[in-house]
Amino acid sequence: MAVVKVITAQTIDESVKKRIEEVFIKKHNGEEVSFTYEIDPSILGGILVVDNGVYYDGTLKSRFIQLKDKDAFKKPQISTGSVIYNGDGIIKISGLNSVKNNELLKLENGIEAIALNLEKDQVGAVVLGDETKISMGSLVYTTGQIVSVPVGPAVLGRVINPLGHPLDGLPEIKTDFYRPIESPAPTIMQRAKVEEPLQTGILAIDSMIPIGKGQRELIIGDRQTGKTSIAIDTIINQKGKNVYCVYVAIGQKASTVSNLVRILKENDALQYTCVVCATASDSAPMQYIAPYCGCAIAEEFMYNGKDVLIIYDDLSKHAIAYRTMSLLLKRPPGREAYPGDIFYLHSRLLERAAKLNSELGGGSMTALPIVETLAGDISAYIPTNVISITDGQIYLDEELFHAGVRPAVNVGLSVSRVGSSAQIPAMRKVSGKLRLDLSQYRELAVFAQFGSELDESTQHILRRGEKIVETLKQDIYNPYSVEEQVVLLYIVNKEFLKDIPVKQVREFNKGFINYIKNYRADILKDIAQTSDLSRENMEQIEKAFEEYKEFMFKPN
């Protein structure tokens, strides 16, 4: 049975009622129709008819609004529907005749939803609030917009949920700037070449798998292999480099996120960072929109000529949240029950990272998505999808991690498609042969386990490789500056460490860097200013090394 509500400013004659009823009975082609009449003086005059959620607005109030606002006819028309199903964070709505995909919907009690399934006679939407407060028959309105979040400097230093509401106990974010969470990626002509380095502060990465501003570099590996630690180190290393950071936590425990925020505070990194958090206890829709919210915040800085680093931790849980929503919406499942558009889910997110050309301000957004593997299987569905979208990957090996090599970067499976173009000249000079030397060492170390006699050249490669591995080991939350990295790699390349016992290499390197910082800071300053390693710098490093070595090993 159809329900038609007639709203007028004052009581109407029976003859007018009869004409209205004749029109709508004819419209429903013999279907039984129930009419209700209501008086609302606020409409000023005329008639408003609501037919199964469709509005026929002939009121004076709407005419006055249109006359006052010259652009009113250009604005999207609001349509109304009603909830016919509610469960598991999903609502189905009847009567929305002009809704668009991904459009923000509002219920009469203020709860918001996102339209995802547009079917012939109903709309499927995911709820962004408390679904228990939604009752059958609740009115739902289109807004003509998609979800927007507060952006700009006001969000720095804050921990927020994907809707922009604070989670850190501080007041609501006050800003005049909002940005929709979905927006087109920059075109090819709007992009510039990725060639300016973004330093992570991690020696193994900056030397062999360099990351450039505007790049998308995947961090991939099994759980508990140090993926998040690399992301945190990279954020900490941006201190004083005029790079804003956005960290998006998807499906993590609240205690884990709380610990991460504490670490950022202790290292004075929270002041230039925004943390967007959708924990494991949040609904699947909230986890689904979290990375898009973080991307919108980062885009605001990028389009204002700033450099931004954004971490998505992690996209495996994001894909699971989207699969949950899709199955509840009765979408056809594909491989591993993921929906057919799972690739588009991540490609439309990661393609928004870019280095903009000078006409658009030259800003950049560098994305470091994180993906978790199971038993080191990088050929699984979601990992291969994300690998194909990104510009390289940093693969963390569980065996290396448990062997004490941390960060546990597997150089053989890691790659940066930007390469040495995202390194300063000094780093290119000292890191050129590093990957090859490390690969040779790993290969020969396998054969050395059999205990057979090895010739002198093989033993030399093994000894050299051991010193390189020890040099690349690094404590968490203790990033090196690029000048310090250049100094360490120079003494490794020149084999100055050949007389240092393997077990003492790490402590020796730490002490040597401290010596350089305290007594020969002019070397680091010169490399930082010129971005190059001159012959004079090399001689100074060699002299400083001899001084420190003599000091360390002089007899008591």
Side-chain angles (χ1 to χ4, degrees), residues 36 78 103 120 168 174 215 306 363 380 394 399 404 419 440-441 517:
T36 60
I78 295 176
E103 184 173 351
K120 183 178 180 181
D168 49 13
K174 293 181 180 179
Q215 190 175 344
K306 308 296 184 184
I394 298 167
E399 289 186 9
Q440 285 181 332
Y441 164 70
K517 286 162 70 174

Side-chain angles (χ1 to χ4, degrees), residues 204-484:
I205 294 174
D206 291 340
S207 59
M208 294 181 286
I209 319 155
I211 299 171
K213 289 181 179 177
Q215 190 175 344
R216 299 152 299 183
E217 183 80 6
L218 174 64
I219 301 173
I220 185 169
D222 285 7
R223 66 185 302 272
Q224 299 296 324
T225 52
K227 301 185 297 298
T228 302
S229 296
I230 286 180
I232 297 174
D233 276 343
T234 307
I235 292 175
I236 293 172
N237 196 52
Q238 304 317 307
K239 184 178 178 181
K241 293 183 171 60
N242 202 25
V243 176
Y244 298 111
C245 301
V246 180
Y247 179 87
V248 184
I250 310 164
Q252 297 186 38
K253 293 187 294 185
S255 59
T256 302
V257 180
S258 176
N259 187 51
L260 180 142
V261 172
R262 178 186 58 79
I263 292 167
L264 293 179
K265 278 184 180 177
E266 289 175 353
N267 289 276
D268 297 325
L270 191 61
Q271 57 191 342
Y272 54 83
T273 305
C274 174
V275 178
V276 180
C277 178
T279 64
S281 59
D282 286 323
S283 63
M286 292 292 273
Q287 295 181 40
Y288 160 64
I289 68 170
Y292 300 102
C293 164
C295 192
I297 292 170
E299 272 181 333
E300 179 68 16
F301 292 116
M302 177 178 71
Y303 283 108
N304 280 291
K306 308 296 184 184
D307 294 317
V308 196
L309 168 69
I310 183 164
I311 313 288
Y312 302 112
D313 192 6
D314 64 74
L315 293 188
S316 304
K317 295 185 179 71
H318 182 235
I320 290 170
Y322 188 62
R323 177 174 65 181
T324 301
M325 288 164 37
S326 298
L327 292 174
L328 289 169
L329 286 165
K330 301 283 193 293
R331 288 182 173 181
R335 178 178 165 184
E336 296 181 24
Y338 288 105
D341 62 342
I342 192 70
F343 182 88
Y344 177 60
L345 174 78
H346 291 148
S347 64
R348 77 176 192 264
L349 171 70
L350 295 172
E351 287 294 336
R352 290 160 71 178
K355 169 68 176 174
L356 298 180
N357 60 31
S358 56
E359 294 177 5
L360 291 175
S364 70
M365 187 203 305
T366 308
L368 297 183
I370 294 175
V371 166
E372 185 176 295
T373 56
L374 186 62
D377 184 13
I378 61 173
S379 63
Y381 191 30
I382 299 303
T384 50
N385 274 355
V386 182
I387 285 172
S388 66
I389 299 166
T390 51
D391 305 317
Q393 68 274 349
I394 298 167
Y395 179 66
L396 301 181
D397 194 305
E398 187 177 24
E399 289 186 9
L400 289 176
F401 184 85
H402 293 306
V405 180
R406 301 176 187 178
V409 178
N410 184 319
V411 179
L413 293 176
S414 301
V415 65
S416 171
R417 296 189 181 99
V418 173
S420 59
S421 60
Q423 288 179 320
I424 64 172
M427 181 60 81
R428 282 201 292 270
K429 284 182 178 179
V430 296
S431 65
K433 288 181 59 185
L434 190 62
R435 183 188 282 266
L436 179 61
D437 290 342
L438 201 56
S439 298
Q440 285 181 332
Y441 164 70
R442 299 245 187 253
E443 187 176 345
L444 291 174
V446 175
F447 292 102
Q449 292 176 350
F450 296 107
S452 56
E453 291 186 8
L454 303 173
D455 58 48
E456 181 57 34
S457 63
T458 302
Q459 291 179 19
H460 176 264
I461 292 173
L462 288 172
R463 287 194 298 269
R464 176 178 167 81
E466 288 174 345
K467 304 290 174 65
I468 292 175
V469 170
E470 288 299 314
T471 301
L472 293 178
K473 289 180 182 179
Q474 193 170 339
D475 296 332
I476 58 174
Y477 319 138
N478 183 33
Y480 288 128
S481 69
V482 66
E483 307 87 56
E484 294 167 0

Side-chain angles (χ1 to χ4, degrees), residues 482-501:
V482 66
E483 307 87 56
E484 294 167 0
Q485 293 177 9
V486 169
V487 169
L488 281 177
L489 291 178
Y490 181 76
I491 65 172
V492 168
N493 285 341
K494 291 293 184 179
E495 298 192 34
F496 290 166
L497 300 175
K498 62 182 179 181
D499 297 328
I500 311 297

